[in-house]
Amino acid sequence: MALPWSCRAAQNAAGSPGNPRGPNPTRVVAARAAAMVSNPVHGLPFLPGTSFKDLTKTAFHRSQTLGYRNGYAVVRRPTVGIGGNRLQVNQLSQADLDELANSIPILTYGQPRQAPPAAFIPAHVAFDKKVLKFDAYFQEDVPMSTEEHYRIRQVHIYYYLEDDSMSVIEPVVENSGIPQGKLIKRQRLSKNDRGDHYHWKDLNRGINITIYGKTFRIVDCDKFTQVFLESQGIELNPPEKMALDPYTELRKQPLRKYVTPKDFDQLKQFLTFDKQVLRFYAIWDDTDSMFGECRTYIIHYYLMDDTVEIREVHERNDGRDPFPLLMNRQRMPKVLVENAKNFPRCVLEISDKEVLEWYTAKDFIVGKPLTILGRTFFIYDCDPFTRQYYQEKFGVSDLPRIDMSKKEPPPMKQELPPYNGFGLIEDSAQNCFALIPKAPQKDVIKMLMNENKVLRYLATLESPIPEDKDRQFVLSYFLATDMISIFEPPVRNSGIIGGKYLGKTKVIKPDSSVENPVYYGPSDFFIGAVIDVFGHRFVILDTDDYVLKYMESNAAQYSPEALLSIQNRIQKQEAPAPELDGQRVEEEPGVQDMEALIDTIQKQLKDRPCSDNIREAFQIYDKEASGYVDRETFFKICGSFQLPVDDSLIKELIRMCSHGEDKIDYYNFVRAFSS
């Protein structure tokens, strides 16, 4: 009787004669899970005839294990078996999962799957900048010479791992007379006639390779090449000594031996100190002369023949001709013979007969001046070779560099010229700041907020002259620009022409300096204050109502004395007027002043037609015939007749006709407009 598939799977998992590998724990677990799915009744042995199946089940399809996500096929682990039975998934540990993933089991049916290939890395990435270097030589025949029959030429063979190319380079030897350098440029080199190319497996120490008919003997390689070849399993031969050229070695040996004299001769100096030059950095300070300057130079002292050369140091855009040398290379005399002072040095060269002492290397010391041909140079630094030479030759080890950087002078304080008295100080100062003077900046916010705001004061002139005692002036302070204007109301038969006394300008306080001027401000104007205007002293006697309101709203910027004067003025206005015989005595301005002001207004309005109905308009609103109207009605009537109430004279007349804060005497006001 044949066993069911689940029994065979369990038997194969447990081990059978056909399964030599023996029991596998993973396979046993899978077989038991399959048996439990087919036999849901637990506790019964899994034997033929004892298994039960559900007769009502009609779907025995297998669940899908392949799906698609974002266009890619993905594998899904099934959660139900055949017929929709729920699979019991065993949760394995990470170690069991790693063991199952790394093990390659032999499947029951078919050949095992091949392991996925390793990730492919291109050669130009894996072997980028990795080069094998071999030291080699080749022998070259010399048929046209009797002294040598062949020569040995040493080369370096480079093998580039990224593309298996090779190059042969011969180190350049000075004065060899042979074209040296790159003998074979980088390329893949043929190994034989069949077209095979050299590979790094063909290279080793102690072997010969033939390239383009020349046989190269590889004697050694560098450390990287040795490590790479040994890592690839190639056994390297022992290194060999580099072959030497016999003719070159023969020339190194002196043909004849000479006994060198004890004294130092020029030939030995030339051969010993060839191409050895001391370099000093110096400056020549010629600022004491007219149009002189401080310039930098480089002094070269050639040890081979004790000559000196001075080179100029040019900077970019220095405006000088590009002459590299200030003085050509020559020997420099230090002390001349007395009779050689008249020697024509500009025509003939100086010889040893005219010179007692020449400049030597010990005369050039860092930090000391040096006079060469009448020009004094100061040496402030030298190069490292010069420091080493002085330490070995003269034992001087301390040659510090002297800082010769130019220290910038302190910035000069810009001082303004003295004030000449014309215009404002700010306007005059703009001529010193720019070639084309610009208007000084103004406080725009202040001008916008205080536009058309004027503080008016009544003042008198303080003067020892008797004629000036009765003169009265109207001081106007403009809050937008901090300017002051003074107007003198004309007085009839006074002998003084009234009108504009001072135009709009800023007035400086007498106790301020010209460099830092302090101008008069609103806090300086109050009743009883003395204002000094360009040498003239004015005493403030009274103010208008707008000044009182302004001082009340800005009491913080006024002194207690100013506030007390305004308080006294308000108390004086609020006091009841004295009565005489039952009639009211009004405190009005001087009759003479009002008459003079009315006369001036009539002269100004002489060419302007005025209506005769102004008095009747005021009498209509004055029901009680008292001669007074309130301020609102007064300005309403003036607006209907288009009277110029903004004029300074008319404002002064309104102030004189005012009675208290709300009443205005229109009798005297109408007189100025009557024909």
Side-chain angles (χ1 to χ4, degrees), residues 1 44 53 58 116 175 209 234 294 310 364 468 480 513 601 612 632 672:
M1 182 176 178
L44 295 178
K53 62 181 179 178
T58 58
N175 296 329
I209 61 174
I234 297 177
C294 186
I310 302 177
F364 296 84
D468 294 339
S513 61
I601 294 175
D612 295 334
E632 183 179 357

Side-chain angles (χ1 to χ4, degrees), residues 313-331:
V313 178
H314 290 279
E315 297 180 358
R316 188 176 183 181
N317 298 329
D318 58 356
R320 297 186 176 274
D321 295 332
F323 294 131
L325 294 177
L326 177 67
M327 187 188 70
N328 290 329
R329 179 179 174 181
Q330 56 183 306
R331 295 187 68 187

Side-chain angles (χ1 to χ4, degrees), residues 265-272:
D265 58 341
Q266 293 183 355
L267 180 60
K268 183 178 180 181
Q269 180 183 1
F270 177 80
L271 297 176
T272 305

Side-chain angles (χ1 to χ4, degrees), residues 80-198:
V80 294
I82 299 175
N85 295 328
R86 190 73 178 179
L87 294 178
Q88 297 183 3
V89 181
N90 295 330
Q91 298 294 336
L92 302 179
S93 62
Q94 186 64 31
D96 296 338
L97 294 175
D98 295 340
E99 181 181 358
L100 292 175
N102 296 329
S103 63
I104 305 177
I106 298 177
L107 302 178
T108 305
Y109 304 99
Q111 295 295 329
R113 295 181 180 179
Q114 297 293 334
F120 174 72
I121 301 177
H124 66 275
V125 177
F127 299 108
D128 183 27
K129 298 180 181 180
K130 294 183 179 180
V131 184
L132 305 182
K133 179 183 177 183
F134 298 91
D135 298 332
Y137 68 90
F138 69 96
Q139 180 176 330
E140 184 181 28
D141 295 336
V142 184
M144 303 299 293
S145 177
T146 58
E147 297 180 357
E148 57 177 341
H149 302 287
Y150 68 93
R151 65 170 61 99
I152 301 298
R153 300 177 64 175
Q154 302 176 1
V155 297
H156 297 304
I157 300 176
Y158 294 95
Y159 185 92
Y160 301 89
L161 294 173
E162 58 178 329
D163 56 356
D164 297 330
S165 59
M166 299 176 62
S167 64
V168 180
I169 298 177
E170 181 180 6
V172 179
V173 179
E174 188 177 4
N175 296 329
S176 64
I178 304 173
Q180 296 174 327
K182 186 177 290 185
L183 299 182
I184 301 175
K185 65 180 181 180
R186 181 177 173 180
Q187 57 184 298
R188 297 193 67 184
L189 301 178
S190 300
K191 181 171 62 174
N192 48 36
D193 298 338
R194 296 189 301 273
D196 299 336
H197 297 88
Y198 276 107

Side-chain angles (χ1 to χ4, degrees), residues 605 610 614 618 637-646 650 669 673:
L605 300 177
C610 296
I614 301 177
F618 281 108
I637 297 173
C638 292
S640 62
F641 286 93
Q642 297 182 356
L643 298 179
V645 294
D646 294 335
I650 298 178
F669 180 79
F673 298 94

Side-chain angles (χ1 to χ4, degrees), residues 417-428:
Y419 178 55
N420 55 9
F422 295 97
L424 296 178
I425 298 179
E426 291 80 0
D427 294 335
S428 301

Side-chain angles (χ1 to χ4, degrees), residues 573-620:
Q573 285 184 350
E574 294 179 352
E579 295 183 356
L580 182 61
D581 297 336
Q583 296 181 355
R584 179 172 52 86
V585 179
E586 298 180 356
E587 296 181 0
E588 296 179 349
V591 177
Q592 295 181 358
D593 296 344
M594 181 177 292
E595 294 295 334
L597 184 60
I598 292 174
D599 188 25
T600 304
I601 294 175
Q602 288 179 352
K603 290 180 181 180
Q604 289 187 358
L605 300 177
K606 189 175 184 180
D607 299 333
R608 302 179 186 177
C610 296
S611 177
D612 295 334
N613 300 325
I614 301 177
R615 183 185 298 273
E616 297 178 0
F618 281 108
Q619 290 177 355
I620 292 174

Side-chain angles (χ1 to χ4, degrees), residues 8-9 11-23 27 106-109:
R8 292 201 303 269
Q11 184 178 359
N12 294 334
S16 61
N19 186 9
R21 297 183 61 184
R27 297 166 65 92
I106 298 177
L107 302 178
T108 305
Y109 304 99

